[in-house]
Amino acid sequence: MEQIKKYRKTSKRIPKEERKVQILRSVLPVFAKKGLRGCTTKELAEATGVSEALIYKHFPSKEILFDSIESFCLTTTKANIGILESLEESTESLVRCIYFPMYTVLQNEMVQNEMDDHHLHRMVVHSLLGDGEFADDFLNNTYSIWQDKVEACIEAAREAGDITVPHKSKSIFPWLVQHLVSCYAYKHLPEKKLVDYGIDDTEDLVDEFTLFALRGIGLSQSAIDRYYHPGEFLRLR
Amino acid sequence: MEQIKKYRKTSKRIPKEERKVQILRSVLPVFAKKGLRGCTTKELAEATGVSEALIYKHFPSKEILFDSIESFCLTTTKANIGILESLEESTESLVRCIYFPMYTVLQNEMVQNEMDDHHLHRMVVHSLLGDGEFADDFLNNTYSIWQDKVEACIEAAREAGDITVPHKSKSIFPWLVQHLVSCYAYKHLPEKKLVDYGIDDTEDLVDEFTLFALRGIGLSQSAIDRYYHPGEFLRLR
DNA sequence: ATTATCTATAGATCTATAGATAATGC
DNA sequence: ATTATCTATAGATCTATAGATAATGC
């Protein structure tokens, strides 16, 4: 009673590498929410449940911790986008390739790995306000597989006669589609509802996003009718 | 030589309201760049060329200054979008309404008033990472005139037989178009080039964005051919 | 006399480190 | 004996205020 406990271990002793990963995991949401400058080392320590000093034992500075978080995000988002890699290049695949990100982001599906998409988007947006390095890594590494596939499928669709409108660039369309989904995500970052699409059902929303994109690419209505059957897509996943 | 100048006025004396506006103007780029938490009152003072104390004489706290900046942005962006208000509701107007933001943002035209669009976008994105209040004010007040006009024109186009595809919602399309342009802007916030559309000429880029959107809305190709003549749009401005 | 401005500084963080202590594993 | 963890704190900001001084306008 008299003696003040000078010492109180709040967290269990665990091996180095394990703790390091645990710090990364628990610190990510804080950095994602507030950014490098927006949060304090105290908050980071509290989120992890350890002392500030311990964090410094594992990461020499706050900035280096932040960089580690970014790398962590990139490797963890190995993107099961890879699934798409095996698709043949065709009009049908084009439809699936456009549907895929719409569905994933709008339905707010976790991308397999435990990394919450929401945090990832926040990290990207923080990066857009900074030097953009992380956003670049994310967009141009993680998404490139998908982008290449979309481009190839557009060509295939054109050869199949399903696209006849002229295009000034091949590579613009993956980006335009990407803009649609990522902006959806960005505008949904705050709790406050910013956008009213006038559609309640998420599946309907996915439909309208996808159809907008497919028509925008110039896919003929007959090809869309032929290949856009979202119910079947789901079964095949 | 001996006597140290304890006192050195670095800025001229100017009347209260004038200085207040001057502070707002000079502080905006700093807040836009780094956000509320990302910059110090020292930086703000230096950007204005006055002492920190003076800033506190005009604005009781950093947060209140930031809020004032946001209000300042909103009022200053009275948006010459109002120009569109007088357009008749027709397919032709639809084409112009879609072209307008594409042109404005992609050509990086200053929106008449001296407010740099770049700063405005940064403020919006900072808000998206926060509570989204400012983004809401911006999107739903500033853009609502344009959005209403687009909706009305889509209806008119449908009545004119230029749109035949079914739509599940009226209000989704202005947002989809908005997503395209704002995401273009967001991805161009960092100095680093993140996106390669495969198109060098900005006019061509505006064309592809606009055509993508018009097709996406479901406007028939014949209507697009009939009304999309960007050269003429410019002359009329 | 009033108003605009500055210098100087208090008090509150915030990052990072030094050094002590407890747990683990040989 | 080694490793993981903590407490305590130094030193560096950072926000905001108190109080002094210079310019303006009557």
Side-chain angles (χ1 to χ4, degrees):
Chain A
M1 222 40 176
E2 300 262 68
Q3 196 185 9
I4 291 158
K5 273 185 189 166
K6 292 179 77 176
Y7 224 42
R8 186 180 19 154
K9 284 270 152 63
T10 58
S11 59
K12 280 182 189 161
R13 236 183 106 105
I14 60 180
K16 201 172 172 183
E17 278 308 307
E18 211 173 309
R19 170 109 302 162
K20 208 166 170 176
V21 173
Q22 188 235 332
I23 292 174
L24 288 173
R25 273 196 220 294
S26 21
V27 142
L28 167 60
V30 184
F31 273 138
K33 177 132 185 89
K34 310 199 175 181
L36 171 57
R37 296 268 152 65
C39 67
T40 67
T41 50
K42 194 179 172 187
E43 287 177 277
L44 298 173
E46 276 167 8
T48 313
V50 300
S51 69
E52 295 178 59
L54 184 58
I55 289 184
Y56 280 99
K57 280 272 145 65
H58 291 282
F59 303 92
S61 77
K62 195 186 173 194
E63 290 207 11
I64 287 174
L65 175 56
F66 189 79
D67 291 347
S68 307
I69 291 289
E70 290 187 330
S71 311
F72 180 66
C73 285
L74 289 177
T75 55
T76 310
T77 311
K78 277 289 177 206
N80 54 354
I81 286 176
I83 293 173
L84 297 171
E85 213 162 9
S86 56
L87 283 180
E88 51 157 4
E89 290 157 10
S90 66
T91 309
E92 186 177 5
S93 297
L94 175 61
V95 174
R96 298 178 95 87
C97 278
I98 303 306
Y99 178 76
F100 175 77
M102 304 292 189
Y103 179 82
T104 313
V105 174
L106 272 64
Q107 296 275 354
N108 210 358
E109 273 236 336
M110 304 297 136
V111 187
Q112 134 185 322
N113 51 56
E114 76 293 359
M115 167 85 65
D116 188 348
D117 252 21
H118 195 253
H119 294 147
L120 196 56
H121 285 129
R122 294 191 74 96
M123 292 298 290
V124 171
V125 175
H126 277 296
S127 171
L128 290 176
L129 289 169
D131 62 9
E133 286 294 336
F134 175 71
D136 188 33
D137 287 345
F138 179 71
L139 293 173
N140 288 311
N141 294 333
T142 310
Y143 263 106
S144 62
I145 304 162
W146 175 81
Q147 289 180 329
D148 293 347
K149 182 60 78 176
V150 171
E151 275 188 49
C153 286
I154 288 177
E155 280 194 58
R158 183 178 295 284
E159 277 165 31
D162 293 324
I163 294 177
T164 53
V165 296
H167 287 164
K168 285 180 181 160
S169 155
K170 294 178 194 175
S171 48
I172 192 176
F173 295 100
W175 283 116
L176 290 171
V177 174
Q178 207 277 341
H179 285 3
L180 292 173
V181 293
S182 65
C183 212
Y184 172 93
Y186 300 164
K187 302 257 153 88
H188 282 77
L189 291 182
E191 292 199 11
K192 192 171 176 59
K193 185 178 179 181
L194 300 181
V195 177
D196 182 6
Y197 294 112
I199 294 181
D200 293 325
D201 185 45
T202 319
E203 284 186 33
D204 286 344
L205 195 59
V206 173
D207 285 346
E208 287 298 88
F209 266 71
T210 309
L211 292 171
F212 180 85
L214 291 174
R215 289 191 299 253
I217 289 170
L219 198 62
S220 71
Q221 193 58 44
S222 67
I224 293 175
D225 294 339
R226 210 174 321 135
Y227 296 117
Y228 185 62
H229 303 121
E232 290 178 27
F233 298 167
L234 289 178
R235 254 174 272 135
L236 286 180
R237 271 156 52 94
Chain B
M1 219 44 173
E2 302 261 68
Q3 196 186 7
I4 292 159
K5 274 184 191 167
K6 293 178 76 177
Y7 223 42
R8 187 178 18 153
K9 284 271 154 61
T10 58
S11 57
K12 279 181 190 165
R13 232 184 110 104
I14 60 180
K16 201 173 173 183
E17 278 308 308
E18 210 173 310
R19 172 109 300 164
K20 207 165 173 178
V21 173
Q22 188 235 331
I23 292 175
L24 289 171
R25 273 196 222 293
S26 23
V27 142
L28 167 59
V30 184
F31 274 137
K33 176 133 185 88
K34 310 198 176 184
L36 171 58
R37 296 268 151 63
C39 67
T40 67
T41 50
K42 194 178 172 186
E43 288 178 275
L44 298 173
E46 276 167 7
T48 312
V50 300
S51 68
E52 295 177 60
L54 184 58
I55 289 185
Y56 279 99
K57 280 272 146 66
H58 290 281
F59 303 92
S61 77
K62 195 186 173 194
E63 291 208 11
I64 288 173
L65 175 56
F66 189 79
D67 291 347
S68 307
I69 291 288
E70 290 187 330
S71 310
F72 180 68
C73 285
L74 289 177
T75 54
T76 311
T77 310
K78 278 288 179 207
N80 55 353
I81 285 176
I83 293 174
L84 297 171
E85 213 163 5
S86 56
L87 282 181
E88 51 156 6
E89 290 157 13
S90 66
T91 307
E92 185 176 4
S93 297
L94 176 61
V95 174
R96 300 178 94 89
C97 278
I98 304 305
Y99 178 78
F100 174 76
M102 305 292 187
Y103 178 82
T104 313
V105 174
L106 273 63
Q107 297 273 356
N108 210 358
E109 273 236 337
M110 302 298 137
V111 186
Q112 134 186 323
N113 51 56
E114 76 291 359
M115 166 85 65
D116 187 349
D117 252 19
H118 196 254
H119 294 148
L120 196 57
H121 285 130
R122 294 191 74 97
M123 292 297 289
V124 171
V125 175
H126 277 296
S127 170
L128 290 177
L129 289 169
D131 62 8
E133 286 294 337
F134 174 72
D136 188 34
D137 287 345
F138 178 71
L139 293 173
N140 289 311
N141 294 333
T142 309
Y143 263 105
S144 62
I145 304 162
W146 175 82
Q147 289 180 330
D148 293 346
K149 182 59 80 174
V150 171
E151 275 188 51
C153 287
I154 287 177
E155 279 194 59
R158 182 180 295 284
E159 277 165 31
D162 293 323
I163 294 177
T164 54
V165 296
H167 287 165
K168 286 180 180 160
S169 155
K170 294 178 194 174
S171 47
I172 191 175
F173 294 101
W175 282 116
L176 289 172
V177 175
Q178 206 278 340
H179 284 4
L180 291 174
V181 294
S182 66
C183 212
Y184 172 93
Y186 299 165
K187 302 259 153 87
H188 283 76
L189 291 181
E191 292 199 10
K192 190 171 178 62
K193 186 180 179 179
L194 300 181
V195 176
D196 182 6
Y197 295 111
I199 294 180
D200 293 325
D201 185 44
T202 318
E203 284 187 32
D204 286 344
L205 195 58
V206 173
D207 285 347
E208 286 299 87
F209 265 70
T210 309
L211 292 172
F212 180 85
L214 291 174
R215 290 191 299 254
I217 289 170
L219 199 62
S220 70
Q221 193 59 44
S222 67
I224 293 175
D225 294 339
R226 210 173 322 132
Y227 297 117
Y228 185 62
H229 303 120
E232 290 178 27
F233 297 166
L234 289 178
R235 252 173 277 135
L236 287 179
R237 272 156 53 91

